[in-house]
Amino acid sequence: MAATLCVKLLPKQGWLPFTQSIRHGSKAVTRHKRPVHFLKRKLLAVTQYIPPTRVVPKGAYPSETSRAPEDSDLVIIMKKDLKDLFQDCKMIAVVQNNASSAEDLLILKHKLYKHNISIKFFPNQVIRSFLSDTIYSNMTPLFIGPTVLFVCKERKVKEMLSTLRSSPQMTLLGACIDDTLLSVKGVVSYSKLPSMSVVQGQLVGGLTMLTSHTASMLQRHPAHLSALLQQYIKQQSPGSAEEAT
Amino acid sequence: MMSFIKAAVGGICRAHGHQQGYLKVLAAGLKTYDIPPDYRDVVLPEKPKLKFIEKVPNLKKVRRGMKRLRDIQGPAQAANAFTTGQYAIVAMGGGYLHWGHIEMMRLTINRKMNSRTTFARWRINSPYKPITRKGLGQRMGGGKGAIDHYVTPVRYGRLIVEVGGKVELGEIENILIEVAKKLPFPAKVVSRESLAVLQQKQIDMEQNNQNPWTFKQIAWGNMLGIRKVLSPFDLHNHGRFTGKFHFPGRV
């Protein structure tokens, strides 16, 4: 019985299976584009034609990345303002304000307005791109974080420092006074400097010290002067006598 | 050519005096003397027009055949090169041309071409493949239908009509493009040189392909068992053809 069953199952040599695992959809040649098997789609995607890279001589085309993005109109206006600011104002201080409320700012502004110091707000990016072209390019590391500019046409450093001491949120980062960049320490020592007239007086005094001393001596009684001269001679002669012996 | 003329004219004007520096050479209407092509070796045949092609082949015994759609598949091996003409319509896909198409081509070309300077030749056979149709509203079964009409199968790359004579491409292009647009497969108008350029472009693409993986390599080596989803047809044609369609970007 098993033998007859086997004979029936394999009638002849090279038999084909009764069921073929082909889904009878459409034939190979169709009017439409037949849906492609996923694996064949992947194969076609992997084996796509990749053309050789064009060898362009260096400098033939401008590089795509090096083109600087153009400034918008607002940025141009802000840069113009900055330029005027740096030209007019002698003192420009960079201050960082951490969480100061509108009320605090208002009080601060009022205090500073009395000394003719104004507060200016500019975006950091604009300031950095502006400063990189000017002589103040070393100031760019100061402008990180929430920064604010204190500008003044006169050099009122002492008043500014006293006002800043009153508001704890404002931290002085640095200042540019008379085209000189100063750190916080530098600003403090600058404020401790005497005023210009005092310094000039000291300088004049130092220069004319000898002549003024002579003039004062001459103005005193002549007896005093003669006594001084005699003492001087005595000093000189014993000095020379001691040297001889 | 233009620059030479401009330099000559400019030189002559400058020779006149210093005041002529503002003189501008207007090159718009200047004639260029290109050498026209030489048609001395071209021999025009006696009957320059396309000859009439019959609708039905005259066979004693008419047999209905199988569909055999593979006569559309793949690239053409016959009639894919120029013989007598200079310009031709070449098929960019597979399809069947029936008598209507052939008549349209014949009438248009014969009407529009100048029979004294141009000649045209067929590069396809007259329709020989029978297409059967059952009557309207018939149910499945009941045997194969009767022969309705005959068609000529055309593969990709086969020339349909060849045109030659004492003409340049620009004159004949319009006529051939008009005909090529009406064919059931995408077709292109080529000259001998442009066909050679197309073939060379394909060879160049194969050679300077930067992709380290090619369809041919993967299919031949049966990498990843991909022959499960590829047919022997894909193996022969390296993925450039599917059914009657040709993919121009594939290599």
Side-chain angles (χ1 to χ4, degrees):
Chain A
M1 191 170 139
T4 48
L5 271 173
C6 286
V7 163
K8 271 192 183 149
L9 275 170
L10 308 163
K12 50 186 185 289
Q13 292 278 340
W15 63 283
L16 281 168
F18 297 123
T19 49
Q20 301 233 357
S21 57
I22 300 168
R23 289 164 61 187
H24 287 279
S26 47
K27 296 190 192 248
V29 180
T30 48
R31 289 173 210 223
H32 63 277
K33 291 213 167 93
R34 255 169 33 121
V36 182
H37 194 281
F38 185 61
L39 291 176
K40 189 176 173 188
R41 247 193 284 161
K42 283 208 273 192
L43 172 65
L44 290 170
V46 163
T47 55
Q48 269 171 355
Y49 171 66
I50 297 175
T53 46
R54 269 172 53 199
V55 179
V56 177
K58 224 180 172 182
Y61 294 108
S63 77
E64 287 171 17
T65 45
S66 69
R67 253 187 69 205
E70 281 174 23
D71 289 333
S72 66
D73 297 336
L74 180 62
V75 174
I76 292 169
I77 291 168
M78 285 201 272
K79 283 196 175 166
K80 222 192 285 182
D81 286 340
L82 272 170
K83 195 170 148 190
D84 298 333
L85 213 70
F86 273 89
Q87 262 177 357
D88 301 333
C89 306
K90 301 245 175 58
M91 179 183 88
I92 302 167
V94 182
V95 176
Q96 189 181 51
N97 70 328
N98 303 308
S100 56
S101 64
E103 200 191 322
D104 294 332
L105 257 180
L106 198 66
I107 295 166
L108 188 73
K109 269 192 182 171
H110 176 68
K111 281 188 191 160
L112 290 171
Y113 181 71
K114 279 189 267 182
H115 304 298
N116 232 354
I117 303 173
S118 56
I119 304 182
K120 297 278 181 195
F121 297 88
F122 286 102
N124 276 347
Q125 273 183 347
V126 169
I127 295 187
R128 279 165 151 252
S129 70
F130 166 76
L131 286 178
S132 53
D133 302 326
T134 55
I135 53 167
Y136 306 100
S137 49
N138 288 326
M139 269 178 90
T140 34
L142 287 176
F143 292 97
I144 294 171
T147 48
V148 158
L149 282 178
F150 282 15
V151 297
C152 185
K153 290 212 171 114
E154 305 103 36
R155 302 170 196 83
K156 298 217 166 151
V157 184
K158 228 187 260 183
E159 292 93 349
M160 189 187 75
L161 280 174
S162 56
T163 328
L164 280 174
R165 228 177 286 137
S166 68
S167 61
Q169 302 103 333
M170 299 290 206
T171 333
L172 183 66
L173 297 176
C176 174
I177 304 173
D178 281 335
D179 293 347
T180 343
L181 201 56
L182 296 168
S183 66
V184 180
K185 271 193 201 167
V187 170
V188 168
S189 51
Y190 184 93
S191 64
K192 289 196 186 128
L193 284 174
S195 70
M196 199 62 143
S197 48
V198 170
V199 171
Q200 278 172 349
Q202 280 181 346
L203 184 68
V204 166
L207 287 170
T208 58
M209 193 184 70
L210 281 171
T211 46
S212 63
H213 197 61
T214 325
S216 65
M217 278 211 291
L218 286 168
Q219 273 167 10
R220 293 181 70 166
H221 203 267
H224 185 71
L225 183 64
S226 56
L228 275 172
L229 285 168
Q230 272 182 343
Q231 199 163 17
Y232 182 63
I233 293 163
K234 252 193 232 168
Q235 267 183 348
Q236 288 284 21
S237 39
S240 62
E242 274 170 17
E243 277 173 18
T245 52
Chain B
M1 187 69 200
M2 269 297 129
S3 56
F4 173 71
I5 290 165
K6 275 188 204 167
V9 174
I12 291 161
C13 295
R14 241 172 269 127
H16 281 258
H18 59 277
Q19 286 160 350
Q20 311 290 350
Y22 56 84
L23 205 74
K24 193 177 169 188
V25 178
L26 301 164
L30 283 181
K31 260 195 152 189
T32 51
Y33 298 100
D34 297 322
I35 301 165
D38 187 19
Y39 294 128
R40 272 178 296 192
D41 345 336
V42 175
V43 173
L44 289 166
E46 283 166 6
K47 294 190 183 168
K49 297 202 173 181
L50 288 170
K51 58 178 185 191
F52 175 76
I53 279 190
E54 282 141 17
K55 217 169 174 179
V56 166
N58 56 350
L59 300 162
K60 273 196 212 154
K61 196 167 163 198
V62 166
R63 291 237 45 188
R64 293 173 294 194
M66 297 184 192
K67 256 199 220 347
R68 283 184 53 223
L69 292 170
R70 60 181 179 272
D71 48 20
I72 307 296
Q73 258 188 347
Q77 306 298 335
N80 53 0
F82 279 88
T83 48
T84 46
Q86 298 297 315
Y87 319 104
I89 303 175
V90 70
M92 301 306 256
Y96 289 123
L97 283 174
H98 57 66
W99 189 71
H101 297 126
I102 294 169
E103 273 298 283
M104 176 273 293
M105 280 200 278
R106 186 180 70 86
L107 291 171
T108 318
I109 292 175
N110 286 348
R111 184 176 57 235
K112 302 218 163 168
M113 80 176 188
N114 184 356
S115 42
R116 271 186 273 178
T117 49
T118 34
F119 68 90
R121 284 281 173 271
W122 288 114
R123 289 307 297 276
I124 48 165
N125 303 323
S126 64
Y128 61 87
K129 178 170 175 167
I131 304 286
T132 57
R133 287 262 188 276
K134 275 185 109 64
L136 182 63
Q138 293 255 357
R139 297 226 168 156
M140 293 284 110
K144 194 164 164 80
I147 293 174
D148 188 44
H149 60 277
Y150 289 83
V151 294
T152 322
V154 167
R155 284 192 160 114
Y156 163 86
R158 188 179 178 129
L159 304 181
I160 315 292
V161 173
E162 233 180 310
V163 177
K166 301 172 184 176
V167 274
E168 287 191 40
L169 182 64
E171 296 170 69
I172 210 73
E173 204 178 14
N174 285 331
I175 307 162
L176 292 180
I177 281 178
E178 208 185 305
V179 162
K181 281 188 187 174
K182 297 187 191 170
L183 295 174
F185 38 80
K188 211 185 224 184
V189 175
V190 288
S191 63
R192 279 190 195 237
E193 297 87 19
S194 67
L195 189 64
V197 158
L198 281 174
Q199 283 160 353
Q200 187 58 38
K201 198 170 147 200
Q202 182 65 31
I203 295 167
D204 286 340
M205 262 173 72
E206 274 165 36
Q207 277 178 348
N208 64 18
N209 186 12
Q210 300 300 305
N211 195 344
W213 298 107
T214 49
F215 191 104
K216 180 175 168 181
Q217 176 195 19
I218 294 174
W220 270 27
N222 190 12
M223 296 184 183
L224 304 171
I226 200 81
R227 286 297 298 280
K228 186 179 176 191
V229 299
L230 296 182
S231 68
F233 174 76
D234 291 317
L235 193 66
H236 288 307
N237 297 303
H238 314 315
R240 289 176 56 214
F241 295 90
T242 300
K244 63 175 186 174
F245 303 105
H246 168 253
F247 301 119
R250 292 224 47 96
V251 86

